[in-house]
């Protein structure tokens, strides 16, 4: 934990790898609770990313030392998670309230462990925590939708879908905070590489050998928003069909979720189709509630595309220009110039990110019943005060 808590300084001083080589071989059998295992996975996988990427994309390693690989793989096996840093680590298991009785807000949240990138790292992970939290009422309402279909209760399904659409809108409002708390140049030039894995990554084409675990290299994708279970749940509920390479990528990302999350998503898909129920009922209010959920989801994905454009596509273009211009420049521009070239057109999970996001967005549009969903449609925003009030009323156990 001492090493994990001091990751940015150890990476900056180029001494993390040495510290890890000098670690004793940790035993994991005394980790008894789920929380202890999740904290261990967070710490060990954070250290793994720092070890691999300490010197950037040009001096990567081929072998993860036994002192790190053995306990990480043991903990991962017990949790049913891959031995790499994932969304469930950096976001779901990486926060605490400064004042335990205080509000669930950016001001009262802090990270347990962090990576290079200063306040932008804190902003990136904690804003994502708030996006997850905003989706909670919608997740809970999925059960009401399923029960309403089972009992043929149109009013129950309609009411539950209203909660789902409000939750998706709240997620977008929380997502907007990314522009306030994260500097695009820091995210692109410094943070992204530490979220990158060793699958579909030209910087590590042969994967990584986990010493003491397996002699052959293993490949794992880096952390990605596609590993969040929330949108997978809403897609399954609404009947969004993701095909081709984008669908294959999303299905593979479910193996990077806690097993209970993956099971919940699969359980949703095993129930009768919501969309078929809406079509059969031909109820105006129910159809409107369903289509509003679709419209909100399309709107969220449009906003995601715009955000990725600002945080990745535009900096990638600037990086190419800046590398051609070797003159002196400010620190933020220099960070962009030195950003890993292997990630210019890809997400940290290894996908071709803009093409992927647009495909997923377009596949969402297709399930609208009244065909009123428009990619350019601007839906009314709820104020952040409403979202913060709703968040404060939610339990987080």
């Amino acid at each position: 934990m001492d090493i994990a808590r001091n990751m940015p300084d150890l990476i900056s001083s180029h001494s993390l790898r040495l510290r890890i080589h000098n670690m004793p071989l940790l035993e994991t059998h005394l980790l008894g609770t789920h929380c202890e295992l999740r904290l261990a996975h967070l710490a060990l996988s954070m250290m793994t990313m720092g070890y691999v990427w300490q010197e950037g994309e040009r001096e990567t390693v081929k072998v993860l030392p036994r002192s790190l690989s053995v306990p990480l793989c043991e903990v991962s096996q017990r949790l049913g998670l891959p031995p790499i840093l994932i969304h469930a680590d950096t976001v779901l298991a990486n926060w605490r309230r400064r004042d335990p009785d205080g509000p669930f807000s950016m001001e009262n949240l802090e990270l347990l462990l962090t990576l290079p990138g200063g306040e932008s790292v804190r902003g990136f992970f904690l804003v994502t925590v708030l996006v997850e939290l905003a989706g909670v009422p919608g997740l809970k309402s999925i059960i009401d939708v399923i029960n309403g279909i089972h009992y043929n209760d149109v009013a129950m399904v309609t009411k539950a879908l209203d909660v789902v659409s409000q939750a998706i809108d709240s997620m977008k409002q929380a997502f907007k905070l990314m522009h306030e708390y994260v500097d695009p140049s820091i995210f692109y030039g410094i943070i992204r590489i530490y979220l990158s894995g060793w699958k579909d990554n030209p910087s590590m084409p042969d994967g990584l050998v986990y010493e003491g675990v397996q002699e052959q290299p293993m490949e794992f994708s880096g952390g990605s928003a596609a590993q969040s279970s929330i949108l997978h749940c809403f897609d399954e509920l609404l009947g969004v069909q993701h095909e081709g390479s984008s669908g294959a990528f999303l299905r593979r990302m479910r193996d990077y979720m806690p097993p209970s999350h993956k099971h919940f998503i699969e359980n949703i898909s095993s129930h009768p189709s919501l969309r078929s129920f809406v079509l059969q009922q031909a109820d105006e209010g129910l159809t409107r509630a369903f289509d509003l959920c679709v419209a909100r989801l399309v709107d969220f994905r449009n906003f995601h595309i715009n955000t990725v454009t600002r945080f990745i596509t535009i900096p990638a273009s600037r990086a190419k220009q800046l590398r051609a211009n070797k003159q002196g420049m400010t620190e933020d521009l220099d960070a962009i110039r030195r950003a890993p070239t292997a990630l210019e057109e890809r997400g940290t999970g290894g996908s071709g990110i803009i093409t992927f996001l647009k495909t997923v967005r377009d596949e969402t549009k297709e399930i609208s019943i009244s065909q009123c969903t428009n990619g350019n449609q601007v839906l009314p925003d709820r104020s952040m005060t409403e979202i913060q009030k709703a968040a404060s009323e939610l339990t987080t156990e």
Side-chain angles (χ1 to χ4, degrees):
M1 290 304 296
D2 286 340
I3 295 174
R5 287 192 182 106
N6 289 287
M7 287 268 294
D9 289 341
L10 291 171
I11 290 172
S12 177
S13 63
H14 303 275
S15 56
L16 176 63
R17 287 178 179 172
L18 179 61
R19 287 288 302 274
I20 288 172
H21 279 292
N22 292 334
M23 276 173 49
L25 184 60
L26 301 171
E27 297 184 6
T28 62
H29 67 280
L30 292 178
L31 296 171
T33 68
H34 182 74
C35 284
E36 287 173 348
L37 288 167
R38 288 294 296 274
L39 180 59
H41 196 276
L42 168 65
L44 293 167
S45 59
M46 277 267 201
M47 291 158 63
T48 295
M49 303 315 260
Y51 183 91
V52 170
W53 300 113
Q54 175 180 289
E55 305 301 328
E57 66 175 339
R58 292 170 186 83
E59 293 183 43
T60 54
V61 296
K62 295 184 180 296
V63 179
L64 192 66
R66 181 187 304 266
S67 59
L68 200 49
S69 62
V70 171
L72 174 58
C73 287
E74 288 177 355
V75 167
S76 298
Q77 185 173 23
R78 289 176 65 182
L79 287 169
L81 296 175
I84 191 172
L85 189 69
I86 56 175
H87 177 87
D89 296 315
T90 57
V91 176
L92 303 184
N94 193 27
W95 57 268
R96 76 178 186 91
R97 281 190 269 209
R98 288 169 173 160
D99 175 2
D101 299 320
F104 210 99
S105 65
M106 287 295 290
E107 294 72 28
N108 195 42
L109 289 174
E110 66 181 17
L111 297 174
L112 303 183
L113 302 175
T114 191
L115 291 164
E119 282 299 303
S120 286
V121 175
R122 176 184 179 272
F124 181 69
F125 291 146
L126 292 181
V127 167
T128 310
V129 169
L130 294 182
V131 174
E132 293 273 341
L133 181 65
V136 169
L139 289 178
K140 292 181 176 180
S141 291
I142 288 174
I143 308 300
D144 293 332
V145 172
I146 291 171
N147 288 334
I149 294 172
H150 178 75
Y151 293 109
N152 204 37
D153 189 333
V154 170
M156 184 179 186
V157 176
T158 303
K159 183 178 178 181
L161 287 178
D162 286 341
V163 177
V164 172
S165 66
Q166 290 170 13
I168 297 171
D169 183 49
S170 295
M171 290 169 64
K172 179 188 170 186
Q173 305 312 314
F175 197 1
K176 286 181 177 180
L177 294 173
M178 200 69 74
H179 297 272
E180 181 179 341
Y181 286 94
V182 184
D183 182 331
S185 63
I186 300 299
F187 174 77
Y188 183 80
I190 297 175
I191 300 171
R192 285 186 80 219
I193 192 168
Y194 297 103
L195 305 178
S196 304
W198 26 98
K199 179 178 176 61
D200 301 324
N201 188 341
S203 295
M204 296 184 66
D206 300 322
L208 182 68
V209 173
Y210 287 70
E211 186 181 39
V213 178
Q214 180 177 305
E215 292 184 3
Q216 297 301 315
M218 293 190 275
E219 295 183 342
F220 295 102
S221 296
S224 167
Q227 295 168 4
S228 169
S229 53
I230 289 187
L231 293 182
H232 287 253
C233 288
F234 293 153
D235 279 344
E236 290 292 351
L237 178 71
L238 298 171
V240 181
Q241 299 293 319
H242 297 299
E243 307 292 346
S245 59
S246 61
F249 176 75
L250 286 170
R251 286 187 292 275
R252 185 163 62 80
M253 288 298 99
R254 294 181 183 181
D255 293 332
Y256 290 73
M257 299 176 186
S260 57
H261 291 207
K262 180 180 178 181
H263 178 71
F264 184 68
I265 295 165
E266 292 171 346
N267 193 266
I268 296 169
S269 66
S270 70
H271 287 276
S273 164
L274 166 62
R275 193 171 188 275
S276 296
F277 176 79
V278 175
L279 289 168
Q280 288 170 356
Q281 296 298 322
D283 179 90
E284 184 178 347
L286 177 61
T287 301
R288 187 165 55 246
F290 177 88
D291 274 348
L292 184 57
C293 286
V294 176
R296 295 283 191 206
L297 196 52
V298 170
D299 196 43
F300 180 90
R301 285 177 161 148
N302 274 327
F303 185 76
H304 193 182
I305 291 168
N306 292 338
T307 302
V308 167
T309 299
R310 183 184 175 202
F311 281 80
I312 298 176
T313 308
I314 293 173
S317 177
R318 294 181 75 191
K320 292 178 182 178
Q321 296 172 351
L322 291 169
R323 277 194 294 272
N325 177 10
K326 306 262 176 137
Q327 297 175 353
M329 56 190 67
T330 60
E331 185 177 347
D332 61 333
L333 291 179
D334 192 48
I336 292 177
R337 181 178 64 82
R338 292 184 288 105
T341 57
L343 296 177
E344 280 180 352
E345 304 298 332
R346 310 192 75 78
T348 49
S351 63
I353 191 160
I354 290 294
T355 301
F356 166 76
L357 291 175
K358 287 183 176 179
T359 299
V360 168
R361 187 268 318 274
D362 292 343
E363 289 168 337
T364 306
K365 287 182 183 180
E366 292 172 2
I367 63 164
S368 173
I369 291 175
S370 64
Q371 300 301 315
C372 67
T373 304
N374 187 312
N376 297 317
Q377 183 177 2
V378 178
L379 295 167
D381 288 340
R382 298 167 65 218
S383 69
M384 280 308 298
T385 53
E386 286 184 69
I387 295 156
Q388 290 165 349
K389 180 177 182 296
S392 68
E393 294 170 351
L394 292 170
T395 59
T396 55
E397 286 75 22

